[in-house]
């Protein structure tokens, strides 16, 4: 069943593998919810230091460029807090430390919903960082953030357990939740356009905008709206 009635949350966390993934995948929804009063926190897992074909680029320089681009993009959408974990591209692993960082954010901000990548794909091979990010994020939500005996050191830091009701997974092959972004499609495009390092020089902002609108229009046709973003909803404790 397709759902277009997902409520605007009070707090949402976006766990994004690389700079630009969040704007591509849920930028319109983020902008829409912030306009409606939500607080949205970005948890940026990698620094994007490998995402280039430039023969003269270095990892340190690229990481610096992409950090600035991500902050600009977040500001366009209205996101006021970007937490950078600083892992290098390709180095996300399913470890207690990485999981604990996500659990810590969940317990600190107590989101009503968490965005992350869908780690399960059949018809298309998924970038390893995306796959690991999705798996670890879902594990952090359930059961680790919920149960106080996981990461008990958080209690000494004043962080209590939290049960997040929902996750919205982007990049899914089985979307069931659609958010109407008709009023924020231009904000999404402007946010994504801040990631200049990730687009060939011959791709103009106008070209980028048309591409984004084409995808969002085709998604919206499934549910009778002009532009939409789609997700797979995972519900916890219901």
């Amino acid at each position: 069943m397709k759902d277009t009635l997902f409520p605007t949350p009070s707090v949402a966390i976006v766990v994004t593998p690389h700079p630009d993934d969040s704007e591509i995948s849920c930028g319109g929804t983020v902008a829409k919810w912030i306009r409606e009063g939500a607080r949205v926190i970005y948890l940026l897992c990698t620094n994007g230091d490998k995402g280039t074909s430039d023969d003269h680029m270095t990892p340190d320089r690229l990481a610096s460029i992409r950090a600035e681009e991500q902050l600009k993009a977040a500001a366009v959408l209205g996101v006021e807090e970007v937490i950078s974990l600083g892992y290098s591209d390709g180095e996300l692993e399913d470890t207690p430390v990485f999981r604990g960082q996500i659990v810590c954010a969940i317990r600190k901000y107590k989101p009503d919903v968490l965005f992350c990548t869908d780690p399960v794909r059949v018809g298309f091979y998924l970038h390893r960082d995306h796959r690991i990010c999705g798996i670890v994020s879902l594990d952090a939500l359930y059961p680790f953030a919920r149960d106080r005996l996981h990461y008990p050191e958080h209690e000494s830091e004043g962080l209590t357990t939290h049960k997040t009701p929902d996750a919205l997974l982007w990049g899914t092959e089985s979307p069931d939740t659609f958010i109407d972004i008709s009023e924020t499609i231009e904000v999404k495009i402007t946010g994504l356009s801040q990631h200049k390092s990730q687009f060939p020089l011959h791709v103009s902002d106008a070209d980028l905008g048309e591409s984004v609108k084409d995808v969002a229009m085709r998604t919206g046709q499934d549910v009778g709206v002009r532009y939409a973003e789609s997700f797979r909803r995972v519900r916890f404790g219901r």
Side-chain angles (χ1 to χ4, degrees):
M1 183 176 69
K2 295 177 180 179
D3 182 10
T4 59
L5 299 176
F6 195 94
T8 301
S10 296
V11 181
I13 289 179
V14 180
V15 183
T16 181
H18 310 104
D20 79 7
D21 287 332
S22 49
E23 283 75 40
I24 292 170
S25 304
C26 61
T29 301
V30 166
K32 171 185 171 70
W33 284 354
I34 289 174
R35 284 187 177 186
E36 295 171 352
R39 181 186 185 191
V40 179
I41 296 94
Y42 273 8
L43 189 63
L44 174 61
C45 298
T46 72
N47 59 16
D49 63 353
K50 304 296 193 301
T52 185
S53 58
D54 183 346
D55 292 339
H56 303 290
M57 184 63 70
T58 66
D60 287 345
R61 181 173 166 230
L62 183 58
S64 177
I65 291 170
R66 300 200 69 187
E68 183 177 354
E69 290 174 342
Q70 180 62 93
L71 291 176
K72 288 179 178 178
V76 168
L77 271 56
V79 177
E80 297 180 354
E81 190 156 3
V82 178
I83 302 167
S84 298
L85 300 184
Y87 291 95
S88 290
D89 276 6
E91 295 186 10
L92 290 183
E93 300 290 349
D94 186 352
T95 65
V97 172
F98 180 34
R99 188 187 318 116
Q101 290 170 314
I102 300 176
V103 169
C104 182
I106 294 167
R107 288 176 173 175
K108 178 178 179 180
Y109 296 102
K110 303 192 182 306
D112 305 297
V113 60
L114 182 144
F115 287 99
C116 63
T117 54
D118 191 337
V120 180
R121 296 290 294 268
V122 176
F124 176 77
Y125 186 76
L126 193 61
H127 189 299
R128 188 173 188 278
D129 284 338
H130 287 228
R131 190 168 67 250
I132 296 296
C133 184
I135 290 170
V136 176
S137 295
L138 290 171
D139 287 344
L141 284 170
Y142 177 84
F144 287 88
R146 182 197 66 177
D147 296 343
R148 61 176 291 269
L149 295 182
H150 291 300
Y151 301 98
E153 67 273 15
H154 289 168
E155 286 190 346
S156 65
E157 300 168 8
L159 302 178
T160 56
T161 60
H162 180 67
K163 301 176 184 178
T164 302
D166 291 286
L168 291 179
L169 311 186
W170 71 62
T172 182
E173 293 174 321
S174 305
D176 55 22
T177 300
F178 295 75
I179 308 294
D180 183 352
I181 62 165
S182 301
E183 295 183 359
T184 54
I185 185 71
E186 297 294 344
V187 182
K188 174 186 174 83
I189 293 167
T190 302
L192 183 57
S193 71
Q194 305 307 306
H195 297 279
K196 302 293 186 186
S197 68
Q198 298 305 289
F199 301 105
L201 293 176
H202 67 271
V203 175
S204 67
D205 287 351
D207 293 333
L208 175 64
E210 288 305 310
S211 177
V212 171
K213 286 180 177 179
D214 181 62
V215 172
M217 185 179 296
R218 285 187 279 111
T219 303
Q221 287 174 348
D222 289 340
V223 287
V225 302
R226 187 175 184 186
Y227 298 116
E229 290 173 338
S230 62
F231 309 94
R232 179 165 68 91
R233 184 178 185 178
V234 177
R235 306 185 187 205
F236 298 95
R238 297 179 183 176

